[in-house]
Amino acid sequence: MTVKEIQDLMRLVKKLELSEFKMKDGNFQLSIRSKHFDYAQASKMAPPQVVQVPATPIQPATQGPAAQVPEPAGEQKAPLAKGQKEEEKKEDETGYVEVKSPIVGTFYRSPSPDKPVYVKVGDTIEVGTVVCIVEAMKLFNEIESEVAGKIVKVVVEDASPVEYDQVLFLVDPNG
Amino acid sequence: MNVRTHIRLDSVSSTNEFMQFLVSMKRPAEGTVISAINQYAGRGQAGRSWHASPGKNISSSFIFYPDFVPARHQFRLNKLFAVSAVHFFRQFLREGNIRIKWPNDLLINGSKAAGMLIRVSTAGDLLRQAILGLGFNISEDQFPGDIPNPVSLCQYADHIPDIPILIGAFQEHLWADYKRLRAGRYPDLDREYTRNLFGMDQALQFTSPETGAFEGVIQGVDEFGRLLIQTGQDITAFQSGTLVFQLTEK
C-alpha cells in the first residue's frame, strides 16, 4: 500500500465520519482512528470481546455432555481470526460495491465523444478515480469512486438518463 | 480575508483544461482564476466550440471547493455563478436589459453576451470541487455564423476598463456571492436567479425533440435546476440542453 493510498483512506475515514477503520491484507495491517473514536467507549467495549472467546466453549457445555476444556489463553486469537474470515467471505457472497449517481442527469462514460472511456470492465480503480460524468443542466459532474477495487460491471448505457441513487457501476473491492 | 490569485496566460488551448491540470498538480487556493488573452480551443456546451478573438473577451476559469454543497443541490452553484455574472454586467452596463437564459447563458436585450461551462467533481454525496469556465463578450466584433444572436458588452457600455481589471471585478462579485452561499444565504441567490430569469412568467415559443414546437410560460426552476414550463394546466420540468426557445420577450 502506498502512502497516497493511506492518505486517501484517511480522507475517506474523515469524510464518512467513521470512528475507526481497520484493514488486513496479508501481512499488512492498518488501523485508522479519527477524532470520532471514543477511547473510553472502546475500553468499555473491549473486555466483553475478550470474555466472549472463553465463553464460547462454556455454552456448548450446557447444551451437550461433551464438556470442553477452555482453550489456553495463547489460542484465544484463533477463533477471532476465523470469525473475521467468515465475515470477509460474506461480503464476497453479498456481492459487489455499487457506485451510484448522486444526481439526476445524463450518464457519460467519457469526457467527450472523441475521448476514451474513463473506466471499463476489468479496470482497477482507486478511491478518487473518476469513473464517469453525469451531466445535468449544462453542469458536468465528474463522479469519483469511493471504493478501490475492480470494475466488474458497467450498469448503465453511455449517454442515457439516470435517476438519483441509480447504480452506475459494480466494483469488486477484493478484485 | 484571503488574497485571490489571478494567473494570466498569453495563450492556452482551454483555461478549463489548464485549471484541471493545475488542480491535479497542486490545489490552487479557492477563488483562483486562470485567464488567457488567446484561448484557441475553448469549449462550449456539449463540445461546441467557443469563438473568441484575442484580447476582446474574458476567457477564464475559476476554482472552488464547495464541499458544503450536496451533489444533488449542485444547481445552486449554477445559480450562484449566473447571479454573479448579472452583478458583473450591471456594474458596467449603461443601458440594456441583462437576463439569465436558463440554465446559465447571459443575454443583453435578448442577445447572448456570455456563456459558462461548469465542471464539478463529486465524491459520495458531496461536491469536492467546481471549475467555472466562462466566456464573456467584451469588445468582440467578430461572430462566426453558427452562433445565434451574439452581442458584446461594449455595445451597451460607455467606458470599459481593461480585461484584467474586468476579470478582477468579476472575481470580486463571484467571491462575495460565493460567501453568501457558504453562509447559508442560498434563498437570496435563488430569488435573484428567478428574478433575473429570461422569459419568467411570459408566454414563449419552445421546441424540444420530445414534444416538437409548443407555447408555454416559464414558472422558474425546480430544486434540481430543471426548467418548469406551464402549458395549459400542466407544468413540465425540462432537463438539459435539448430545449430550444425563442429569444424575444413579449
Side-chain angles (χ1 to χ4, degrees):
Chain A
M1 198 168 211
T2 65
V3 174
K4 187 179 176 301
E5 285 172 316
I6 294 171
Q7 285 173 335
D8 285 340
L9 269 174
M10 287 166 75
R11 250 177 248 128
L12 190 64
V13 168
K14 189 183 171 204
K15 217 190 92 193
L16 298 174
E17 298 185 349
L18 299 179
S19 59
E20 189 180 20
F21 173 88
K22 278 184 182 171
M23 72 166 283
K24 193 167 178 250
D25 185 5
N27 289 329
F28 179 79
Q29 287 190 46
L30 177 73
S31 166
I32 302 170
R33 288 175 177 181
S34 75
K35 64 177 178 191
H36 302 290
F37 187 81
D38 189 337
Y39 285 88
Q41 187 72 24
S43 63
K44 262 185 237 160
M45 278 165 66
Q49 281 179 348
V50 179
V51 171
Q52 230 173 11
V53 180
T56 31
I58 297 166
Q59 265 186 331
T62 56
Q63 288 164 359
Q68 284 180 26
V69 181
E71 286 168 23
E75 280 176 48
Q76 276 184 12
K77 273 181 184 170
L80 240 182
K82 201 180 156 200
Q84 278 175 349
K85 254 184 202 161
E86 272 166 11
E87 229 169 70
E88 280 167 23
K89 243 190 211 163
K90 220 186 257 171
E91 262 182 28
D92 277 352
E93 283 160 10
T94 51
Y96 305 119
V97 179
E98 298 168 333
V99 178
K100 294 175 172 180
S101 177
I103 52 162
V104 176
T106 309
F107 169 83
Y108 293 106
R109 290 189 60 191
S110 56
S112 62
D114 54 330
K115 295 218 170 118
V117 295
Y118 285 109
V119 290
K120 55 187 187 302
V121 171
D123 282 1
T124 302
I125 58 166
E126 307 292 333
V127 173
T129 300
V130 175
V131 289
C132 65
I133 279 183
V134 177
E135 180 266 338
M137 273 68 70
K138 276 171 74 180
L139 215 146
F140 294 79
N141 196 326
E142 289 180 342
I143 310 299
E144 295 177 2
S145 177
E146 282 193 296
V147 288
K150 193 179 269 184
I151 301 277
V152 289
K153 192 175 182 187
V154 182
V155 184
V156 182
E157 287 268 317
D158 189 37
S160 52
V162 290
E163 294 299 319
Y164 171 70
D165 233 18
Q166 186 172 339
V167 178
L168 307 173
F169 298 92
L170 293 182
V171 178
D172 181 356
N174 303 311
Chain B
M1 180 165 160
N2 48 348
V3 178
R4 282 168 298 286
T5 311
H6 181 178
I7 299 167
R8 292 172 63 193
L9 306 172
D10 283 340
S11 187
V12 72
S13 56
S14 146
T15 54
N16 258 24
E17 272 177 30
F18 191 88
M19 182 63 92
Q20 271 182 309
F21 169 73
L22 199 65
V23 170
S24 72
M25 300 301 287
K26 71 189 257 286
R27 195 178 145 107
E30 201 162 41
T32 294
V33 57
I34 293 171
S35 72
I37 296 169
N38 182 19
Q39 182 184 231
Y40 54 86
R43 283 271 166 265
Q45 185 188 358
R48 278 176 216 160
S49 67
W50 171 265
H51 172 80
S53 303
K56 295 187 170 180
N57 302 274
I58 294 179
S59 304
S60 56
S61 296
F62 294 79
I63 181 79
F64 292 95
Y65 306 105
D67 54 8
F68 54 91
V69 178
R72 66 179 187 285
H73 288 151
Q74 61 178 22
F75 198 75
R76 290 180 179 187
L77 284 180
N78 182 96
K79 285 180 178 169
L80 152 73
F81 296 151
V83 165
S84 287
V86 169
H87 292 158
F88 167 80
F89 276 101
R90 290 238 167 93
Q91 184 181 341
F92 298 102
L93 279 178
R94 161 179 42 88
E95 53 166 346
N97 198 0
I98 183 90
R99 284 281 178 269
I100 301 161
K101 176 177 169 275
W102 176 86
N104 55 25
D105 282 344
L106 272 293
L107 307 177
I108 301 175
N109 284 358
S111 295
K112 181 166 169 174
M116 48 182 93
L117 193 73
I118 304 164
R119 262 196 122 86
V120 299
S121 300
T122 291
D125 288 329
L126 291 174
L127 297 183
R128 203 170 54 72
Q129 69 181 43
I131 297 175
L132 163 66
L134 52 87
F136 287 179
N137 295 337
I138 302 301
S139 54
E140 183 65 76
D141 45 18
Q142 306 236 321
F143 298 108
D146 61 336
I147 296 178
N149 226 4
V151 76
S152 279
L153 173 62
C154 70
Q155 293 166 249
Y156 297 93
D158 289 326
H159 168 73
I160 298 179
D162 292 341
I163 299 284
I165 293 169
L166 287 176
I167 292 174
F170 181 61
Q171 201 174 15
E172 289 308 311
H173 284 295
L174 207 48
W175 190 249
D177 290 323
Y178 183 70
K179 280 199 292 191
R180 288 165 73 197
L181 184 68
R182 204 168 53 187
R185 290 170 59 199
Y186 165 70
D188 296 351
L189 289 169
D190 181 40
R191 267 192 296 277
E192 266 194 85
Y193 180 86
T194 309
R195 197 165 61 228
N196 290 293
L197 195 59
F198 173 83
M200 188 68 188
D201 295 327
Q202 288 169 31
L204 291 175
Q205 289 291 330
F206 299 90
T207 315
S208 88
E210 296 85 21
T211 59
F214 66 99
E215 190 180 274
V217 179
I218 294 178
Q219 302 289 316
V221 295
D222 70 8
E223 59 171 323
F224 303 112
R226 294 180 297 185
L227 187 68
L228 300 172
I229 301 178
Q230 183 168 13
T231 49
Q233 295 300 308
D234 302 326
I235 293 179
T236 313
F238 283 88
Q239 214 188 105
S240 190
T242 54
L243 184 76
V244 178
F245 49 111
Q246 72 172 39
L247 294 182
T248 39
E249 283 183 285
K250 283 181 184 171

